[in-house]
Amino acid sequence: MRVHKLTFAALAVAASLSLTACQNGDGGTEQGGPSSASTPSSASSPSSPSGGPSSGSADQGGGKDSAGKGTAGQGAAAGSGSGSGGSGTSGKCRTDELAITAVDSTIGGDAEGTVAVTLKNRGSRECAISGYAGVDLKTNSGSLSAKRTGQQSGPGVLKPGKSVSFGINYPLNTSGGSGVRVTGLVITPPDETMSVTLEWPGAATLPVTEGGGSPVKVGPIGSAGQGE
Protein backbone atom coordinates (compact mmCIF):
# COMPACT_ATOMS: atom_id res chain seq x y z
CA MET A 1 0.00 0.00 0.00
CA ARG A 2 2.81 2.37 0.80
CA VAL A 3 4.35 1.65 -2.60
CA HIS A 4 1.09 2.48 -4.35
CA LYS A 5 0.81 5.74 -2.40
CA LEU A 6 4.28 6.81 -3.43
CA THR A 7 3.50 5.94 -6.99
CA PHE A 8 0.31 7.99 -6.93
CA ALA A 9 2.20 10.86 -5.29
CA ALA A 10 4.88 10.73 -7.96
CA LEU A 11 2.27 10.74 -10.70
CA ALA A 12 0.49 13.66 -9.08
CA VAL A 13 3.74 15.68 -8.94
CA ALA A 14 4.53 14.85 -12.56
CA ALA A 15 1.04 15.87 -13.64
CA SER A 16 1.37 19.13 -11.71
CA LEU A 17 4.70 19.90 -13.35
CA SER A 18 3.29 19.11 -16.79
CA LEU A 19 0.32 21.39 -16.20
CA THR A 20 2.59 24.22 -15.05
CA ALA A 21 4.74 23.84 -18.13
CA CYS A 22 1.68 24.02 -20.40
CA GLN A 23 0.45 27.16 -18.67
CA ASN A 24 3.86 28.83 -19.02
CA GLY A 25 3.88 27.92 -22.70
CA ASP A 26 0.44 29.48 -23.23
CA GLY A 27 1.53 32.67 -21.41
CA GLY A 28 4.54 32.99 -23.70
CA THR A 29 2.29 32.73 -26.73
CA GLU A 30 0.02 35.48 -25.45
CA GLN A 31 2.95 37.80 -24.75
CA GLY A 32 4.35 37.10 -28.19
CA GLY A 33 0.99 38.09 -29.74
CA PRO A 34 1.03 41.65 -28.52
CA SER A 35 4.69 41.93 -29.40
CA SER A 36 4.02 40.90 -32.99
CA ALA A 37 1.00 43.27 -33.10
CA SER A 38 3.10 46.21 -31.98
CA THR A 39 5.68 45.53 -34.65
CA PRO A 40 3.33 46.25 -37.59
CA SER A 41 2.08 49.33 -35.74
CA SER A 42 5.59 50.69 -35.35
CA ALA A 43 6.25 49.91 -39.03
CA SER A 44 3.19 51.87 -40.24
CA SER A 45 4.02 54.78 -37.98
CA PRO A 46 7.26 55.75 -39.82
CA SER A 47 5.62 55.33 -43.22
CA SER A 48 2.80 57.69 -42.35
CA PRO A 49 5.01 60.76 -41.59
CA SER A 50 7.19 60.11 -44.62
CA GLY A 51 4.09 59.77 -46.81
CA GLY A 52 2.60 63.06 -45.54
CA PRO A 53 5.45 65.42 -46.58
CA SER A 54 5.79 63.66 -49.91
CA SER A 55 2.14 64.30 -50.71
CA GLY A 56 2.39 67.92 -49.49
CA SER A 57 5.48 68.50 -51.59
CA ALA A 58 3.63 67.31 -54.66
CA ASP A 59 0.76 69.69 -53.91
CA GLN A 60 3.14 72.59 -53.45
CA GLY A 61 4.94 71.71 -56.62
CA GLY A 62 1.66 71.68 -58.48
CA GLY A 63 0.84 75.12 -57.11
CA LYS A 64 4.14 76.52 -58.35
CA ASP A 65 3.58 75.08 -61.79
CA SER A 66 0.14 76.65 -61.93
CA ALA A 67 1.45 80.03 -60.78
CA GLY A 68 4.23 79.87 -63.33
CA LYS A 69 1.80 79.22 -66.14
CA GLY A 70 -0.38 82.13 -65.01
CA THR A 71 2.57 84.51 -65.02
CA ALA A 72 3.62 83.39 -68.47
CA GLY A 73 0.10 83.95 -69.75
CA GLN A 74 0.00 87.49 -68.43
CA GLY A 75 3.39 88.22 -69.94
CA ALA A 76 2.25 87.06 -73.36
CA ALA A 77 -0.86 89.23 -73.16
CA ALA A 78 1.19 92.27 -72.16
CA GLY A 79 3.59 91.70 -75.04
CA SER A 80 0.71 91.41 -77.49
CA GLY A 81 -0.83 94.64 -76.24
CA SER A 82 2.46 96.48 -76.49
CA GLY A 83 3.02 95.24 -80.02
CA SER A 84 -0.38 96.32 -81.27
CA GLY A 85 0.12 99.75 -79.69
CA GLY A 86 3.50 100.17 -81.39
CA SER A 87 2.05 99.39 -84.84
CA GLY A 88 -1.12 101.47 -84.40
CA THR A 89 -2.20 104.73 -86.06
CA SER A 90 0.14 107.70 -85.61
CA GLY A 91 -0.91 110.44 -83.22
CA LYS A 92 -2.31 113.67 -84.64
CA CYS A 93 -0.01 116.48 -85.73
CA ARG A 94 0.30 119.07 -82.97
CA THR A 95 0.64 122.78 -83.64
CA ASP A 96 4.04 122.95 -81.94
CA GLU A 97 5.34 120.20 -84.26
CA LEU A 98 4.42 122.11 -87.42
CA ALA A 99 6.18 124.92 -89.27
CA ILE A 100 3.34 126.89 -90.87
CA THR A 101 3.88 129.34 -93.72
CA ALA A 102 1.61 131.18 -96.16
CA VAL A 103 2.33 132.53 -99.66
CA ASP A 104 0.34 134.32 -102.37
CA SER A 105 -0.55 131.79 -105.08
CA THR A 106 -2.82 133.97 -107.21
CA ILE A 107 -2.34 133.50 -110.93
CA GLY A 108 -2.88 136.48 -113.24
CA GLY A 109 -6.32 136.48 -114.78
CA ASP A 110 -7.97 134.54 -111.93
CA ALA A 111 -11.32 135.86 -110.72
CA GLU A 112 -10.29 135.12 -107.13
CA GLY A 113 -7.17 135.51 -105.12
CA THR A 114 -5.46 132.44 -103.64
CA VAL A 115 -3.21 131.99 -100.62
CA ALA A 116 -1.49 128.65 -100.11
CA VAL A 117 -0.77 127.60 -96.53
CA THR A 118 1.90 124.94 -95.99
CA LEU A 119 2.32 122.81 -92.86
CA LYS A 120 5.70 121.10 -92.49
CA ASN A 121 6.39 118.39 -89.92
CA ARG A 122 9.41 119.61 -88.01
CA GLY A 123 9.09 116.96 -85.30
CA SER A 124 10.86 113.63 -84.98
CA ARG A 125 7.80 111.42 -85.45
CA GLU A 126 5.25 110.96 -88.22
CA CYS A 127 1.81 112.32 -87.42
CA ALA A 128 -1.71 112.14 -88.80
CA ILE A 129 -3.35 115.16 -90.36
CA SER A 130 -6.56 115.50 -92.38
CA GLY A 131 -9.73 117.55 -92.67
CA TYR A 132 -9.88 121.31 -92.43
CA ALA A 133 -7.70 123.80 -90.63
CA GLY A 134 -9.29 126.76 -88.92
CA VAL A 135 -8.69 130.00 -90.88
CA ASP A 136 -9.44 133.51 -89.62
CA LEU A 137 -8.49 136.77 -91.25
CA LYS A 138 -7.79 139.78 -89.07
CA THR A 139 -9.24 142.93 -90.61
CA ASN A 140 -9.84 146.53 -89.64
CA SER A 141 -13.49 145.54 -89.22
CA GLY A 142 -12.82 142.56 -86.93
CA SER A 143 -12.13 138.88 -87.39
CA LEU A 144 -13.42 137.12 -90.50
CA SER A 145 -13.69 133.32 -90.47
CA ALA A 146 -13.27 131.38 -93.71
CA LYS A 147 -15.98 128.94 -94.81
CA ARG A 148 -15.19 125.38 -95.82
CA THR A 149 -15.52 124.47 -99.49
CA GLY A 150 -17.08 121.10 -98.63
CA GLN A 151 -14.45 119.05 -100.46
CA GLN A 152 -13.63 115.68 -98.93
CA SER A 153 -10.28 115.10 -97.28
CA GLY A 154 -8.95 111.59 -96.78
CA PRO A 155 -6.67 110.59 -93.88
CA GLY A 156 -3.03 111.51 -94.31
CA VAL A 157 0.26 110.85 -92.55
CA LEU A 158 2.96 113.49 -92.45
CA LYS A 159 6.46 112.09 -92.03
CA PRO A 160 9.24 114.13 -90.39
CA GLY A 161 10.48 116.82 -92.75
CA LYS A 162 7.52 116.47 -95.13
CA SER A 163 4.89 119.09 -95.96
CA VAL A 164 1.25 119.39 -96.99
CA SER A 165 -0.69 122.44 -98.18
CA PHE A 166 -4.21 123.79 -98.48
CA GLY A 167 -5.68 126.79 -100.24
CA ILE A 168 -7.56 129.90 -99.17
CA ASN A 169 -9.66 131.65 -101.80
CA TYR A 170 -10.94 135.20 -101.45
CA PRO A 171 -12.60 137.78 -103.74
CA LEU A 172 -10.40 140.45 -105.29
CA ASN A 173 -11.28 144.06 -104.61
CA THR A 174 -11.96 145.50 -108.05
CA SER A 175 -14.44 148.12 -106.91
CA GLY A 176 -11.88 150.90 -106.68
CA GLY A 177 -12.93 151.57 -103.08
CA SER A 178 -10.82 151.18 -99.99
CA GLY A 179 -12.54 147.91 -99.11
CA VAL A 180 -11.76 145.89 -95.96
CA ARG A 181 -8.10 145.94 -95.00
CA VAL A 182 -6.57 142.58 -94.00
CA THR A 183 -3.97 142.78 -91.21
CA GLY A 184 -3.20 139.16 -90.38
CA LEU A 185 -3.92 135.46 -90.87
CA VAL A 186 -4.66 133.04 -88.02
CA ILE A 187 -4.24 129.28 -88.70
CA THR A 188 -5.37 126.49 -86.38
CA PRO A 189 -4.33 122.98 -87.53
CA PRO A 190 -7.07 120.31 -87.68
CA ASP A 191 -8.20 119.00 -84.28
CA GLU A 192 -6.01 121.52 -82.47
CA THR A 193 -6.79 124.52 -80.27
CA MET A 194 -3.40 126.27 -80.47
CA SER A 195 -3.19 128.78 -83.30
CA VAL A 196 -0.41 130.48 -85.24
CA THR A 197 -0.69 134.11 -86.48
CA LEU A 198 1.00 134.93 -89.79
CA GLU A 199 1.29 137.96 -92.03
CA TRP A 200 -1.36 138.06 -94.75
CA PRO A 201 0.44 137.52 -98.09
CA GLY A 202 -2.55 138.19 -100.38
CA ALA A 203 -4.14 141.38 -101.63
CA ALA A 204 -4.22 144.16 -99.08
CA THR A 205 -7.98 144.56 -99.13
CA LEU A 206 -11.19 142.64 -99.66
CA PRO A 207 -14.28 144.09 -101.29
CA VAL A 208 -17.07 145.16 -98.99
CA THR A 209 -19.82 142.57 -99.21
CA GLU A 210 -23.49 143.22 -98.74
CA GLY A 211 -25.39 141.05 -96.28
CA GLY A 212 -23.99 138.38 -94.00
CA GLY A 213 -21.59 135.57 -94.64
CA SER A 214 -17.93 135.38 -95.37
CA PRO A 215 -16.53 135.71 -98.89
CA VAL A 216 -13.39 133.79 -97.87
CA LYS A 217 -13.25 130.02 -98.44
CA VAL A 218 -10.80 127.36 -97.27
CA GLY A 219 -10.08 123.98 -98.83
CA PRO A 220 -9.17 120.77 -96.97
CA ILE A 221 -5.66 119.62 -96.16
CA GLY A 222 -3.93 118.67 -99.41
CA SER A 223 -6.10 120.89 -101.63
CA ALA A 224 -3.18 123.06 -102.73
CA GLY A 225 0.07 121.83 -104.30
CA GLN A 226 1.47 118.34 -103.86
CA GLY A 227 3.51 118.86 -100.72
CA GLU A 228 7.06 117.50 -100.38
Side-chain angles (χ1 to χ4, degrees):
M1 292 296 293
R2 185 177 181 182
V3 174
H4 287 293
K5 288 180 180 179
L6 290 173
T7 301
F8 287 141
L11 291 173
V13 170
S16 176
L17 291 173
S18 175
L19 179 60
T20 302
C22 291
Q23 290 176 350
N24 289 338
D26 292 341
T29 302
E30 292 176 359
Q31 292 175 0
S35 174
S36 63
S38 65
T39 301
S41 175
S42 62
S44 63
S45 177
S47 67
S48 176
S50 62
S54 175
S55 174
S57 175
D59 290 342
Q60 292 174 1
K64 290 180 181 178
D65 290 344
S66 175
K69 291 178 182 178
T71 303
Q74 292 174 359
S80 171
S82 177
S84 63
S87 62
T89 305
S90 301
K92 69 178 182 179
C93 294
R94 300 191 304 264
T95 302
D96 58 4
E97 294 178 312
L98 300 171
I100 303 175
T101 57
V103 296
D104 183 10
S105 295
T106 304
I107 299 175
D110 285 352
E112 292 183 316
T114 302
V115 168
V117 178
T118 299
L119 301 91
K120 182 177 182 178
N121 184 356
R122 62 181 181 181
S124 59
R125 68 179 183 97
E126 64 180 26
C127 58
I129 188 167
S130 63
Y132 285 81
V135 174
D136 295 283
L137 273 61
K138 290 183 175 182
T139 75
N140 60 343
S141 299
S143 180
L144 184 64
S145 296
K147 289 185 176 182
R148 296 179 179 182
T149 61
Q151 293 174 264
Q152 295 296 318
S153 171
V157 174
L158 200 56
K159 294 183 177 180
K162 299 299 181 179
S163 302
V164 68
S165 301
F166 64 89
I168 301 172
N169 297 106
Y170 62 94
L172 298 172
N173 184 12
T174 59
S175 65
S178 59
V180 178
R181 184 165 56 89
V182 182
T183 59
L185 174 63
V186 180
I187 303 296
T188 308
D191 301 319
E192 277 287 271
T193 56
M194 183 184 296
S195 302
V196 173
T197 300
L198 307 173
E199 290 185 3
W200 172 249
T205 63
L206 302 176
V208 177
T209 58
E210 298 294 335
S214 172
V216 182
K217 296 180 180 180
V218 56
I221 297 294
S223 62
Q226 298 299 319
E228 298 180 358

